[in-house]
Structures are given as structure tokens and as C-alpha cells.
Amino acid sequence: MNAEPPALPGRPGDPLRGRHIVLGVTGSISCYKAIEVTSRLVQAGAIVDVAMTEHAAQFVRPLTFRSLTAREPYLSMWEPYADVGEAHVELARRADAMLIAPATASTLARLANGLADDQVSLTALATTAPLLVAPAMDGQMWENPATQANVEILKARGVQFLGPMQGRLASGRMGLGRLMEPERLVEELRWRLGREHGDLVGRRIVVSAGGTREAIDPVRYVGNRSSGKMGYAVAEAARDRGAEAVIVSTVSLPVPAGVRVVAVESALQMMEAVHRECADADALIMAGAVADYRPADAADQKIKRDKTGDMSIDLLENPDIIATTPIETKRGRLTKISFAAETQDLIANAKAKLTKKGARFVVANDVSATDAGFGVDNNRVTILDDEGGRADLPLMPKYDVGHAILDRVLPLLSPKK
Ligand code: PMT
């Protein structure tokens, strides 16, 4: 049996880190994507054991998986694996989750009927860990009533389906049957593991993301440089710790697996959505950049230059979203976290916002930096809390900033109701 690896790669806070994942690989041309899934899981710090069918080995050699995982893949049912007689039983027992990707039509039929005649179906039958399957086949095979009946049986037994996806198939046709992309498969797994083991399970966290757009006319708006990356990263970190994460977003970034996105544009729309979502939430993290002012009168039609010449726009002050969000919720007291984007006097300005906004702490960032702040993947922040504490964090990925924030949010949350 494969031994436990000595050191863990990956990031602290990643639910895949140190988890035992059994990756079942069955015989489809999309087996090549299982290689990337394996690599991503290993890089995330998961302990990956690959169980593969003889058919899968026609597409991809076991050597490839051995090289990526530094562990022996399980292929033959008759091969003795080092010091263990019943490899599938031991694999099944160790698994925190089993992902079969790709899962062929005949694999689904085997699973639905409880057949166990290769390493993948053997292990799937033996495990009590969450079982996720990512089907891959031609569209007509997927739509075949036999396959659909098997899918229904498996869903009723709690098997979780990831895809298949719409798009170009190996046959050259377009249809439903593509294997989900490796990056997304790993994210889906991450979400489900977070939900099982995370320290924020049972919590709902609302995060704002992106800059608001305040309409001047149907074409133009007053906006700012916030890309939404910071807010999405906080929400992903919350999701990975098991929270139900909701993003109130002004941007159209890809929706992270397991996260709910509420689309808004203006500060008034964001306020309405934040108030509504926070009525049943544990924490509000305002990472978005809300316009302090909006045009007093948005024109119904596009303003024409030849009709106006020089012009000025009257601005009205927007309400403060974080300060006006009711603190009492169905879940107890809402923990409010503010951000402060500053170009000068960072600490003094951020401290002033902390008290004004009723937040438990403020995440201050100097947005005049080019390697942090708006639009980039990293941030360098100082966290100032309402008891005078201060933590200067180094430049780090926004996802890691998200975890640093959540580490501090966790002890502030009201007891679970
Ligand atoms: O989105 P990215 O490109 O990833 O960039 C990230 C970021 C720089 C936008 C982010 O890290 C950040 O600093 N967000 C807050 C920006 C901001 O609006 O700061 P502010 O100092 O203007 O506002 C202070 C706080 O009050 C913020 O939490 C803001 O959301 C909130 N606010 C502001 C105005 C208003 N009317 N209502 C509010 O709730």
C-alpha cells in the first residue's frame, strides 16, 4: 500500500490539503484531462491515489499517474499491491472523497447495478466517502434512456454529478457529453470537502465585490477601478471553509462553484441586495468599492454632444451601505468588516472609517501601489481592529488575504442558533 507522503504542498486553508482523494479513471478519450486533475490535486496538497480501469490504461499509461503522484496507481484486480491484500477496501476506507473522472457510460451502468469488476467500480462500491462522478461520452450515449435511468438511480443514492458539459465532443459533433474542465472539477471537489470539514460550516457570509456603476445615461456611468477579484477571493475562501457564501457583485467574473452571486449595478441596488441577504447572515465583508456619489438625474436617452456642449453633472451622496445594514439578524449579531482603499494617510483614514462604519475591523489597502489593490491577483493589507490591534500582512494572493480575514472573523461570530 502507498505510504503517506512526508510533507504537504498547497496552501493553508485549502480543504484539499492533506485530504485523501481517490481518483477513478475509466476508458474515455478525455482520460488526458484526468492527468491535469491529478496534477492540480497534488499541487493543492491532496494525497491522490489513482484507481484505473484496463480500458483507461489504453488511453493513458499508469506511469503518468505514478510520476505525478509519486504513488503506485491501482490497475489490475489480480496484482498484489505491496503490503495490502485488498487494495480497493483499504483505498475505500482511506478516502475523504472519490472522484471518477472521466466516468464512461458503462461505468455509470456498473455503478448503478452494483457491479464491481475493476479497480474503479470495486472501490466505488466499497467506499462510504462522498462519491462524485464526471461523465464523458458522446451526446447520444448520454441522452440514451439506459444512461439516463442509471443517472437517476445513482443520484437517488446520493452520487454527485459534475457535468457533463455542452460543447465539442470527440466525435466532432456538438452536444452534451464533454468532461468538465479539470480546474472546475478540482474546485467542485474543494467546495464539497469544505462543506464536510470546514470551520465555517453552517455560517452564511455575504461579500460585496466590484465597483458600483452609477448611470449618467443608458450608455455611460460613473465607476471605479474595482475588478471584483478581492471580493470573489474572500467568497471562495469562505466557501472552502464550509460557509454558504453569497457575493453581491457588480462584475461578471465566472461564478465560483458553490457560491451564489447576486448581480447588481448601482450603490442603491447593492444596498438593497446587501440588506436583504444580511437579514439571515452571520457576517458582511464589504470588499467592493461603492461610489460615494451618483448622478442626481440619469438621462433616459443617450446624451448627445451636439445638443449639450460643455456640461456638468449634479451628484447626490449615496447612503453608506455597511453603516446602514441592520446589525441584528435572524442569526444574532452581524459581524461587519469594512475595507478602506486609500492613496494617502492609509492608517489614519482607515481608522476613521472603522468607527464611522460600525465595523469590527477594517482591511486597509494602499491602492496607489501597482502590485496590489485594484485589478491584480495580489494584495498587501493592514488589518486594524476595534480594540486598537494592528496586523501588517505581506503581499499575498487575494485568496490568502481572504483566509487571513476569515481567521479573524471566526472568533467574532455570534454563537450558532
Ligand atoms: O476589486 P479589486 O480590483 O480586487 O480591488 C480590491 C479593492 C481595492 C476594491 C478592495 O481591496 C477595497 O479596498 N475595497 C473597498 C474600496 C472602497 O470603496 O473603499 P472606501 O474607503 O471608499 O469605502 C470604505 C468601506 O465602506 C468599504 O468597505 C466600502 O465597501 C464601504 N462603503 C463605501 C461607500 C458606501 N456608500 N457604502 C459602503 O458601504
Side-chain angles (χ1 to χ4, degrees):
M1 194 69 190
N2 286 317
E4 297 299 318
L8 287 179
R11 292 163 152 172
D14 188 332
L16 284 165
R17 199 164 187 245
R19 294 287 164 199
H20 201 128
I21 306 298
V22 175
L23 178 65
V25 185
T26 70
S28 148
I29 177 60
S30 60
C31 271
Y32 74 94
K33 290 187 184 173
I35 298 170
E36 195 181 334
V37 172
T38 306
S39 169
R40 285 177 178 271
L41 290 174
V42 170
Q43 287 178 53
I47 303 153
V48 185
D49 274 316
V50 174
M52 58 196 298
T53 62
E54 301 279 356
H55 289 174
Q58 296 289 327
F59 290 98
V60 190
R61 298 190 66 193
L63 172 65
T64 310
F65 294 111
R66 186 189 306 140
S67 306
L68 287 170
T69 61
R71 298 167 75 77
E72 197 60 45
Y74 296 88
L75 173 64
S76 163
M77 298 205 330
W78 313 116
E79 181 104 8
Y81 286 99
D83 58 344
V84 68
E86 299 288 344
H88 62 283
V89 176
E90 185 54 20
L91 270 186
R93 189 191 63 75
R94 282 188 184 180
D96 288 303
M98 180 173 184
L99 167 65
I100 305 180
T104 59
S106 69
T107 302
L108 298 183
R110 262 194 201 87
L111 297 179
N113 288 287
L115 298 182
D117 51 3
D118 56 46
Q119 283 290 8
V120 175
S121 52
L122 265 175
T123 311
L125 198 65
T127 195
T128 54
L131 178 59
L132 289 76
V133 296
M137 64 197 73
D138 197 62
Q140 284 171 354
M141 293 171 72
W142 172 252
E143 278 154 24
N144 189 296
T147 304
Q148 286 306 308
N150 291 330
V151 170
E152 288 314 311
I153 289 171
L154 292 170
K155 281 186 178 168
R157 288 187 197 141
V159 174
Q160 302 173 60
F161 277 76
L162 307 179
M165 311 305 285
Q166 185 78 33
R168 187 183 179 280
L169 305 170
S171 60
R173 296 199 184 94
M174 300 298 284
L176 191 60
R178 262 178 85 83
L179 183 67
M180 186 179 272
E181 290 308 313
E183 187 179 3
R184 184 71 183 198
L185 284 173
V186 171
E187 202 189 331
E188 295 276 353
L189 199 48
R190 197 171 259 136
W191 163 41
R192 285 162 171 88
L193 283 167
R195 215 170 46 178
E196 301 267 323
H197 307 282
D199 54 9
L200 289 173
V201 171
R203 301 297 194 170
R204 184 176 294 149
I205 298 196
V206 179
V207 185
S208 70
T212 59
R213 296 175 171 197
E214 312 298 328
I216 297 170
D217 67 16
V219 178
R220 307 175 181 95
Y221 59 83
V222 177
N224 63 64
R225 294 176 189 277
S226 172
S227 65
K229 286 186 175 186
M230 187 67 244
Y232 275 65
V234 174
E236 282 174 32
R239 182 262 333 257
D240 289 351
R241 296 168 80 141
E244 195 184 326
V246 180
I247 310 178
V248 178
S249 170
T250 63
V251 294
S252 51
L253 292 175
V255 177
V259 172
R260 187 156 59 86
V261 173
V262 179
V264 295
E265 274 200 11
S266 66
L268 292 179
Q269 287 172 1
M270 182 178 273
M271 182 170 75
E272 200 269 319
V274 165
H275 287 187
R276 192 181 60 240
E277 295 297 334
C278 284
D280 189 12
D282 295 284
L284 167 64
I285 303 176
M286 285 293 292
V290 184
D292 290 322
Y293 303 96
R294 67 179 184 278
D297 289 307
D300 292 339
Q301 301 298 330
K302 184 180 172 189
I303 298 169
K304 303 300 285 179
R305 187 162 67 160
D306 49 1
K307 296 222 174 95
T308 56
D310 288 346
M311 63 177 285
S312 56
I313 300 172
D314 288 336
L315 297 174
L316 292 179
E317 197 178 351
N318 272 327
D320 194 301
I321 299 175
I322 187 163
T324 57
T325 304
I327 195 104
E328 296 299 336
T329 78
K330 287 181 191 160
R331 293 169 173 242
R333 279 179 80 77
L334 184 71
T335 301
K336 296 183 185 180
I337 309 304
S338 173
F339 271 66
E342 303 294 341
T343 53
Q344 56 187 355
D345 300 329
L346 177 68
I347 302 303
N349 284 332
K351 271 187 185 158
K353 281 181 182 157
L354 179 62
T355 34
K356 211 169 85 190
K357 295 189 181 262
R360 299 302 306 274
F361 62 81
V362 62
V363 183
N365 52 183
D366 176 356
V367 286
S368 62
T370 52
D371 58 351
F374 290 128
V376 291
D377 293 330
N378 298 321
N379 212 351
R380 186 188 298 100
V381 302
T382 297
I383 297 181
L384 303 165
D385 67 37
D386 59 357
E387 292 175 345
R390 170 176 174 163
D392 294 285
L393 306 185
L395 186 69
M396 58 172 81
K398 286 181 173 170
Y399 176 81
D400 293 354
V401 174
H403 276 296
I405 292 169
L406 294 167
D407 288 343
R408 289 162 174 82
V409 165
L410 188 60
L412 301 175
L413 296 174
S414 290
K416 280 188 198 168
K417 277 198 175 167

